[in-house]
Amino acid sequence: MTALDAPTGLAETPAPSARIAEPPAARTLPASLRPSRWLPIVLMILTLAALWQITAQGMPYLLPPLQAIAETLIGNPAYYLENAWITLQEALIGLAIAFVGSSILAVAISEVAVLRRAIMPIAVVLNVTPLVAIAPALVVAFGFGPEPKLIVTAIICFFPILINVSVGLRSVPTAVLQFYKTIHASRAEMLWHVRVPSALPYLFAALKIVFPLSIVGAVVAEMFAPGASEGLGTAIGLASSNNKLPVIYASIFMLALMGAALLGLITAVERRALRWHETHADGA
């Protein structure tokens, strides 16, 4: 058989590199910078901006033009940054109080069934209580300082953390618990080495909810707790009474920016802390 008579399939098979060849830039570009990641959100933002402008032209009493919002932000940035800093402090301190209290309580009710049956109904009632109604009462009890705002923020953030952490602590497979019992592990060892790692994904899920929610809690407290003089919630209330739509939406923009930043921060921490977990095994 001559070379011309040889089967053509082998000779025409492309080299492996020819079949999987990609542009060098696509192979070296980080995943977060690939167009498939950022292009959809950019297109969505442009679409929403166009719809906003159309609505602002037709109903200026409802939405101000985007350029008016940008002008008030650029014209007085110190006003918005100072008030944003006050609101952020209230949100984070209230969240910290809720985190510590709800985590301790979640451990207690996951270990003692009697406590769970006694405390959970009260926690549910507290969660569905309209906090706007009790904010003035908190001012009467604690004065015009930051305490009422911190309490309102902590109450808003308390329930999601309590529920998620308590469920996570009790989500350990029975076979794993039986194994640790056979090696005579103490309850403290089981809590630290088994239950806490099992609860971490649930905890981060709760934090993704309550980090932005803490901003909402701080704003609600500023708007409805008499005596508040600083913060974006107060700025929104004053601008609303004076019919200053650009100021209202500029403050809302700052709140949205803070909420997105906090959500991005906790997401980054989650990816680093849960590399070992199956939900992040692919680096997503």
Side-chain angles (χ1 to χ4, degrees), residues 121-260:
I122 298 175
V124 172
V125 171
L126 185 64
N127 183 59
V128 300
T129 300
L131 298 180
V132 172
I134 68 173
L138 293 175
V139 173
V140 174
F142 297 99
F144 295 102
E147 290 82 3
K149 307 175 189 62
L150 299 181
I151 293 173
V152 170
T153 304
I155 293 175
I156 289 178
C157 298
F158 184 87
F159 192 74
I161 301 176
L162 175 66
I163 292 298
N164 279 271
V165 174
S166 61
V167 171
L169 290 170
R170 291 184 286 114
S171 65
V172 182
T174 304
V176 176
L177 295 177
Q178 292 295 335
F179 169 77
Y180 274 82
K181 288 180 180 179
T182 58
I183 61 175
H184 304 290
S186 64
R187 297 186 70 170
E189 290 173 332
M190 293 180 64
L191 174 65
W192 182 250
H193 295 289
V194 180
R195 295 190 183 276
V196 169
S198 174
L200 284 179
Y202 295 84
L203 171 62
F204 278 106
L207 292 179
K208 286 182 179 180
I209 297 172
V210 298
F211 260 73
L213 194 61
S214 65
I215 300 292
V216 176
V219 171
V220 169
E222 290 169 353
M223 294 181 68
F224 293 97
S229 59
E230 294 178 308
L232 290 175
T234 303
I236 292 173
L238 293 174
S240 178
S241 62
N242 294 316
N243 198 25
K244 295 182 178 179
L245 281 180
V247 177
I248 294 174
Y249 283 100
S251 302
I252 293 174
F253 172 79
M254 293 296 295
L255 291 171
L257 194 62
M258 287 195 301

Side-chain angles (χ1 to χ4, degrees), residues 5-64:
D5 298 326
T8 57
L10 295 176
E12 294 175 355
T13 301
S17 59
R19 292 197 303 268
I20 61 173
E22 294 179 357
R27 292 197 301 267
T28 59
L29 200 62
S32 59
L33 298 180
R34 293 172 185 170
S36 60
R37 289 292 185 93
W38 56 263
L39 187 58
I41 185 61
V42 170
L43 293 177
M44 178 59 70
I45 291 174
L46 293 176
T47 302
L48 292 176
L51 292 174
W52 183 292
Q53 290 293 82
I54 294 172
T55 306
Q57 291 178 359
M59 293 182 289
Y61 54 86
L62 178 63
L63 295 178

